[in-house]
Amino acid sequence: MPALAQRLGRHYTLLALAFPMILANISQPLLGLVDTAVLGHLGAPEYLAGTAVGAFLISQLYWLCGFFRQSMTGLSAQSKGASQQSKQFTGYWDDLTRALLFAISVGLLLVALQSPILHVLQGFTDLPPLAATSLATYFDIRIMNAPVALLNLVTIGYLVGQHRTKAVLLLQVGINCLNILLNLIFVYGFALGVAGVAYATVIAEWIMLLWSLYWILKHTQQLTTKHWVTAPKNKLSWCIYVLRTTELLSPTALKMGAFKRILSLNRDLFFRSLLLQFCLAFLTYQGARFGVEAAAVNAILMQFFILIALGLDGIAYAIEAMIGESHGETNDPTTISVALWRDIKISLLWSSIVGVITMIKMAIGYGFFVSMLTNQESVLSAAQPYYWVMVVLPFLAHWCYCLDGVYIGFTRGDVMRNSMFISAVVGFFGTYLVFGYLFAFTNMTLWMALLGLQTTRGLTLGWHLYRMPKASD
C-alpha cells in the first residue's frame, strides 16, 4: 500500500504541475489577437502590417532564446531535489545567479545589434513607407527591453523547476491582462498608435520581472526558514540575513569555471532551437512558393500546430520539473534510479493521454476549426486533404515533447541537440526529398516532412533513454 500511495502521489504531482502550465500556455495567443484587433482599427492597414512583421521578428528572437527557460527549469528542479535530499541550501541560488547574468549579457548584445538586425529584416521585406516606419518604431522599442524579456525567461524557468506552476499561471495570465489593458489605454486613451502597443508590452515585461522576483524570494524564504533555525521570519529581515550570510550562494558561484556548465547547456539548447526553427521556416517559405492558396492553408495549419504545441508543452513543463527533481535526488546522475524510472513512465503515460485527447479533438473538430479561421471556399476545400495530418500530428509529436521534458530534467542538452540534428537532416529533409522524388514536391510533402521530423525526434530520444543504464539492471 505505501508503494501504491507513493505512485498515486507522483501522478497527482505531475497533474498539479501540468494543469496550470497548460492554462498559462493557452492564454498566450489571446494577447496576439488583441494586439491585432487594436492595430487593425487604427485606420490604415500599414500599421498592422509593419507591426506584425516587427512582432514576428521579436517573437522569433525570444523563441530562439527559449533555452534560458529550459535550462533554468532543469537546473532549478535538480537543485530542489538535491536540497530536499541533503537539507542543505548553500549554493541554492548559484545557477539562478549565473543564468540571470548570462541573460543580461545576451540581452545587451541584442540591444547593441539593434540596427544591423533591423537593417537585415528590412532587406527581406518590401513594405510601403508607413508600414516600414511602423516596423522600425515597434522593433526599436521592444528590442531595447531585451535584457528584461530574457530575465523573465530565466525567472519563469526557475519557478517551474521549483514546482511553482500556479504562481507562473497567475503571472502569465495577470500580465497578459495588464498588457491588454495598457494597449487600450495607450492606443485609444493617449493616441500613441504603434508605439503605444510596444510600450504596453515593455511595461508589462518589467512588472512581470518584479513580480516573478518577488515570488522567488517568497518561495525561498518559505523553503529555507523550515531548516535555518537562526533565520528570521519577516521578509525584509530575511533578505538582510541572506545578504549578510550569503548562505544561498557558494564561494565559487561567480568564478569563470562555474559558468561552464550553464554555458555549454545553453549552447546545446540554442543549436537545437535553431535547427527546429530552420525546419519550420523552410516549411513556411517553401510553402509560399506553391501559391497563395497553399500559403493560406499553411497559415491555418500552423495555427493548429502552435495550439497543439502549447498544449503538449504544458505537460512537458511539468515533466521537466518532476524529472529534474527526481534526478537531483540521486547520488549517481549517470544511472536512472528506480524512482526516476517510475516518474518517467508516469510522464509517458500522461503525455500519451494528452496526445490522444488532442488527436480526438482534432478528428472531431477539424472542419469546424478551419471554418472559424476562414470563409473562403477555395481555402476550405484546399485544407481538407490535410485532415489526417492534423489528426495524427498530436500523437506522433507528444513523444518528442515528453522526452524533451525528460532530458531537460536531466540537463542533457547535448542529447537533445544531437537528436534534433538527426531529425532535421533525416526526418525532415530526408522525408521531404524521398516523398518529393517518389511522388511530387507539393505542399503536402512539406507536412509529411514535419511529421517525419516529430517522429524522428521521438525515436532518437527514446532510443537514447532505452540505452541509459538503470539501477534495476
Side-chain angles (χ1 to χ4, degrees):
M1 287 299 292
L4 176 60
Q6 192 175 38
R7 284 198 297 272
L8 291 175
R10 297 307 284 174
H11 282 276
Y12 174 80
T13 297
L14 181 66
L15 294 177
L17 291 170
F19 188 64
M21 293 311 304
I22 292 174
L23 292 179
N25 282 350
I26 291 174
S27 74
Q28 287 300 101
L30 177 62
L31 178 60
L33 290 174
V34 173
D35 282 351
T36 301
V38 169
L39 291 166
H41 288 80
L42 286 181
E46 287 84 358
Y47 290 122
L48 177 58
T51 307
V53 175
F56 175 77
L57 176 62
I58 289 289
S59 65
Q60 294 307 299
L61 284 174
Y62 292 166
W63 188 87
L64 285 174
C65 293
F67 57 81
F68 283 112
R69 202 278 315 158
Q70 294 173 323
S71 63
M72 193 66 255
T73 297
L75 293 169
S76 172
Q78 287 185 8
S79 178
K80 174 179 169 60
S83 66
Q84 287 181 337
Q85 190 74 7
S86 65
K87 306 302 181 186
Q88 298 294 320
F89 293 91
T90 301
Y92 200 71
W93 277 356
D94 283 6
D95 289 320
L96 174 62
T97 303
R98 288 190 284 264
L100 290 172
L101 291 173
F102 185 37
I104 292 172
S105 301
V106 175
L108 291 175
L109 178 62
L110 290 176
V111 173
L113 296 174
Q114 171 184 353
S115 296
I117 294 173
L118 180 59
H119 180 73
V120 170
L121 174 64
Q122 289 174 329
F124 282 101
T125 60
D126 186 22
L127 296 172
L130 182 56
T133 302
S134 298
L135 162 61
T137 299
Y138 183 87
F139 179 81
D140 287 343
I141 295 172
R142 288 292 311 278
I143 201 67
M144 290 299 292
N145 208 46
V148 175
L150 299 189
L151 286 173
N152 280 327
L153 292 177
V154 174
T155 56
I156 292 299
Y158 184 84
L159 288 170
V160 172
Q162 295 293 307
H163 293 199
R164 307 293 291 184
T165 55
K166 290 181 181 178
V168 174
L169 172 62
L170 290 174
L171 271 169
Q172 293 196 344
V173 173
I175 293 302
N176 284 339
C177 291
L178 174 65
N179 201 339
I180 291 170
L181 178 62
L182 291 174
N183 271 343
L184 298 174
I185 293 173
F186 289 165
V187 173
Y188 295 120
F190 297 118
L192 293 177
V194 171
V197 174
Y199 283 129
T201 304
V202 166
I203 292 172
E205 287 172 340
W206 269 101
I207 294 176
M208 184 175 190
L209 176 62
L210 296 174
W211 197 1
S212 59
L213 289 173
Y214 167 78
W215 275 105
I216 290 173
L217 288 172
K218 180 180 178 181
H219 167 71
T220 310
Q221 184 200 14
Q222 293 172 346
L223 195 65
T224 54
T225 49
K226 296 177 183 177
H227 304 283
W228 289 351
V229 177
T230 58
K233 305 296 182 182
N234 177 271
K235 285 185 175 60
L236 179 59
S237 300
W238 179 86
C239 289
I240 296 172
Y241 172 84
V242 168
L243 289 173
R244 289 180 60 189
T245 60
T246 63
E247 288 198 47
L248 294 174
L249 288 176
S250 66
T252 60
L254 300 180
K255 290 188 176 181
M256 288 304 297
F259 281 83
K260 182 178 179 181
R261 182 190 184 196
I262 196 168
L263 290 176
S264 61
L265 176 59
N266 284 327
R267 176 203 62 202
D268 293 335
L269 291 174
F270 170 73
F271 282 118
R272 167 199 169 272
S273 298
L274 198 61
L275 287 166
L276 176 58
Q277 189 60 27
F278 181 75
C279 293
L280 296 178
F282 181 85
L283 186 153
T284 300
Y285 290 112
Q286 189 67 18
R289 299 180 64 182
F290 293 124
V292 174
E293 197 171 83
V297 170
N298 286 351
I300 293 172
L301 297 183
M302 284 304 295
Q303 292 302 311
F304 293 160
F305 175 72
I306 291 170
L307 288 174
I308 291 170
L310 288 174
L312 296 176
D313 255 344
I315 192 78
Y317 285 4
I319 292 169
E320 295 165 15
M322 191 169 79
I323 296 300
E325 180 190 29
S326 296
H327 192 58
E329 290 174 352
T330 181
N331 294 321
D332 183 6
T334 62
T335 302
I336 298 179
S337 66
V338 174
L340 182 54
W341 185 241
R342 173 205 63 204
D343 287 348
I344 291 172
K345 289 190 286 187
I346 290 172
S347 301
L348 288 168
L349 170 64
W350 283 104
S351 179
S352 299
I353 290 172
V354 172
V356 170
I357 291 174
T358 309
M359 182 174 66
I360 293 171
K361 287 166 60 178
M362 191 58 67
I364 296 173
Y366 177 79
F368 173 73
F369 296 148
V370 173
S371 64
M372 285 181 63
L373 296 177
T374 182
N375 59 359
Q376 301 294 316
E377 289 297 331
S378 60
V379 178
L380 289 170
S381 177
Q384 289 309 308
Y386 298 88
Y387 168 81
W388 69 272
V389 175
M390 289 295 107
V391 170
V392 302
L393 178 61
F395 187 75
L396 293 178
H398 91 85
W399 300 100
C400 64
Y401 281 89
C402 174
L403 293 172
D404 270 352
V406 170
Y407 278 96
I408 287 172
F410 288 168
T411 58
R412 290 295 305 272
D414 57 326
V415 176
M416 297 171 65
R417 176 202 63 203
N418 295 341
S419 167
M420 185 61 75
F421 178 78
I422 295 170
S423 300
V425 173
V426 178
F428 186 83
F429 288 103
T431 301
Y432 180 71
L433 292 173
V434 168
F435 277 82
Y437 281 115
L438 288 178
F439 303 101
F441 288 99
T442 64
N443 196 56
M444 178 62 78
T445 313
L446 290 169
W447 287 94
M448 292 294 293
L450 182 64
L451 294 180
L453 172 72
Q454 304 293 62
T455 303
T456 310
R457 286 173 63 194
L459 289 173
T460 50
L461 290 172
W463 175 246
H464 187 276
L465 181 65
Y466 172 76
R467 294 183 62 208
M468 285 185 69
K470 302 170 183 63
S472 57
D473 287 349

